[in-house]
């Protein structure tokens, strides 16, 4: 299959819409990362996503819509908490897990009785949904396990020959996937952190949002993944990544003691020049939004530079920084050294 990369215009949006209506795949930009879209109601189309990504089929996908009216048939009901959160954060990088509707494909939901839905704010996604009339399932447009792409070039590196079209809409603004919160149970539960934070949702809901242990720990044996990004080693470059938890002086000392061929540092802005090994910087210290924007591109850059061992500075674990830590700990396969 030949993969076209086209700039965003009326013609390319119309082509993307036709492909989705025909049960084909399209990669396109969202405000979070680039995604691979297929009609969420068409099981055969959604299976093509799993094939293109090499993704395990017990990992559910998120359905993307462009208006509340599109929830009909996708969800069985819209809980009151979901209405509050939608009023505050949609369109935007928030996915809500709700009771599944009868029209969404079993393949999209990995056989679960729930479905994750979001209304993205990126104008290209909105235009494609409107032009096609298709609510589409869309995971990140990377090969399964690799860092998610935040531009068309990195999407092509993974997806060339695996799908017919990539729309090039420039860099994604957020840089990590959407926040995922379940609103189906007695309490709201954060399943995946993102740009919309636990604290922001609590301010809207007026109640505590519980945090799934799977955000910072591995799922237990036999435990079901209720959200993308929970179950498998994710977001990982080819290098072996280890997170070093401690201040910069301790980090620099540890890196110096373990320096050698193929060893790289993943550090905060302004720190690299003080290190005895090659480095990539991924945002300012104490700035979760900047780190989120740069993290996946930095992990891919480490691959391009042939890094074999990477020692990563540890982000904080609240606000947007929780999303950065969640992605980084999976990229490191949960290897953390406390200094």
């Amino acid at each position: 299959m030949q993969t076209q990369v086209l700039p965003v215009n009326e013609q390319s949006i119309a082509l993307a819409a036709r492909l989705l209506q025909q049960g084909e795949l399209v990669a396109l930009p969202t405000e979070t990362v680039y995604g691979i879209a297929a009609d969420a109601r068409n099981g055969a189309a959604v299976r093509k996503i799993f094939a293109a990504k090499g993704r395990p089929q017990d990992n559910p996908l998120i359905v993307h819509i462009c208006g509340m009216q599109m929830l009909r048939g996708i969800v069985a009901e819209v809980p009151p908490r979901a209405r509050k959160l939608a009023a505050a954060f949609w369109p935007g990088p928030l996915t809500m897990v709700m009771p599944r509707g009868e029209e969404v494909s079993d393949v999209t939901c990995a056989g679960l009785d729930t479905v994750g839905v979001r209304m993205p704010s990126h104008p290209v996604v909105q235009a494609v949904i409107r032009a096609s009339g298709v609510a589409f399932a869309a995971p990140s447009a990377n090969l399964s396990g690799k860092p998610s792409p935040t531009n068309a070039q990195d999407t092509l590196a993974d997806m060339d020959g695996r799908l017919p079209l990539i729309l090039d809409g420039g860099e994604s603004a957020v840089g990590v996937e959407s926040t995922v919160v379940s609103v189906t149970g007695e309490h709201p539960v954060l399943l995946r952190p993102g740009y919309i934070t636990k604290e922001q949702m609590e301010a809207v809901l007026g109640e505590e949002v519980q945090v799934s242990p799977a955000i910072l720990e591995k799922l237990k044996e036999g435990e079901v993944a209720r959200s993308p990004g929970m179950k498998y080693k994710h977001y990982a470059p080819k290098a072996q990544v280890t997170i070093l938890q401690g201040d910069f002086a301790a980090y620099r000392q540890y890196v110096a003691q373990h320096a050698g061929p193929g060893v790289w540092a993943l550090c905060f802005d302004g720190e690299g020049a003080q290190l005895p090994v090659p480095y990539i910087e991924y945002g300012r210290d104490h700035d979760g939004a900047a780190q989120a924007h740069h993290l996946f591109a930095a992990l891919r850059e480490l691959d391009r530079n042939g890094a074999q061992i990477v020692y990563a500075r540890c982000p904080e674990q609240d606000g947007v920084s929780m999303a950065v830590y969640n992605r980084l700990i999976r990229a490191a396969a949960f290897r953390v050294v406390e200094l």
Side-chain angles (χ1 to χ4, degrees):
M1 180 187 299
Q2 186 173 0
T3 300
Q4 282 187 286
V5 181
L6 297 178
V8 175
N9 53 38
E10 266 186 56
Q11 291 74 27
S12 62
I13 286 171
L15 174 59
R18 284 197 302 277
L19 287 168
L20 287 169
Q21 291 166 345
Q22 293 164 5
E24 295 296 338
L25 304 183
V26 175
L28 74 180
T30 79
E31 71 274 26
T32 57
V33 298
Y34 273 60
I36 305 174
D39 183 348
R41 292 176 167 87
N42 182 338
V46 175
R47 281 191 186 90
K48 294 178 183 179
I49 293 177
F50 290 97
K53 285 177 64 73
R55 180 187 177 103
Q57 291 207 20
D58 61 347
N59 212 356
L61 304 180
I62 291 166
V63 178
H64 294 62
I65 61 172
C66 70
M68 294 295 284
Q69 73 281 0
M70 291 188 79
L71 288 171
R72 194 173 300 114
I74 297 294
V75 300
E77 62 170 308
V78 183
R81 286 190 188 103
R83 293 190 184 278
K84 286 184 182 179
L85 291 172
F89 301 117
W90 277 6
L94 176 68
T95 294
M96 289 186 276
V97 175
M98 294 184 262
R100 175 182 158 186
E102 60 185 18
E103 294 179 18
V104 67
S105 167
D106 199 49
V107 185
T108 300
C109 301
L112 301 175
D113 58 1
T114 55
V115 60
V117 185
R118 90 176 185 96
M119 190 187 297
S121 62
H122 199 289
V124 174
V125 179
Q126 292 186 351
V128 171
I129 296 172
R130 282 195 299 270
S132 65
V134 170
F136 57 68
S140 52
N142 54 305
L143 291 172
S144 189
K146 288 186 68 176
S148 301
T150 55
N151 56 57
Q153 294 71 37
D154 287 342
T155 301
L156 181 65
D158 280 13
M159 289 295 134
D160 194 9
R162 293 171 176 263
L163 47 74
L165 176 63
I166 299 170
L167 292 182
D168 185 350
E171 286 282 334
S172 295
V174 174
V176 295
E177 300 84 353
S178 61
T179 303
V180 180
V181 63
S182 173
V183 292
T184 58
E186 188 179 346
H187 304 284
V189 180
L190 181 64
L191 300 178
R192 182 177 72 186
Y195 192 75
I196 305 298
T197 67
K198 174 181 184 289
E199 296 82 2
Q200 288 174 311
M201 291 188 289
E202 287 173 340
V204 168
L205 294 174
E207 62 179 316
E208 181 188 4
V209 174
Q210 298 181 349
V211 177
S212 167
I215 283 178
L216 303 179
E217 304 166 11
K218 297 178 188 176
L219 278 180
K220 295 179 177 64
E221 193 67 36
E223 195 173 350
V224 173
R226 288 274 166 188
S227 162
M230 292 181 78
K231 189 165 185 182
Y232 300 93
K233 181 185 174 186
H234 257 52
Y235 321 116
K238 294 171 187 169
Q240 177 180 290
V241 178
T242 300
I243 298 170
L244 304 184
Q245 201 162 29
D247 63 23
F248 179 65
Y251 172 84
R252 181 174 56 196
Q253 182 179 3
Y254 187 98
V255 170
Q257 289 169 347
H258 293 79
V263 173
W264 280 66
L266 180 63
C267 58
F268 299 135
D269 290 359
E271 295 178 345
Q274 303 173 61
L275 298 172
V277 298
Y279 62 89
I280 301 286
E281 295 174 339
Y282 76 105
R284 295 178 297 274
D285 196 2
H286 311 299
D287 187 342
Q291 295 163 16
H293 181 72
H294 294 291
L295 177 64
F296 288 147
L299 292 174
R300 285 180 174 264
E301 188 67 20
L302 288 164
D303 270 353
R304 284 192 285 269
N305 282 286
Q308 296 172 342
I309 295 172
V310 174
Y311 295 115
R313 284 279 268 141
C314 186
E316 293 160 347
Q317 294 177 35
D318 60 357
V320 181
S321 297
M322 183 191 285
V324 181
Y325 183 74
N326 167 265
R327 305 319 192 267
L328 197 51
I329 200 171
R330 280 166 168 74
F334 296 88
R335 279 183 297 272
V336 181
V337 174
E338 294 191 23
L339 303 176

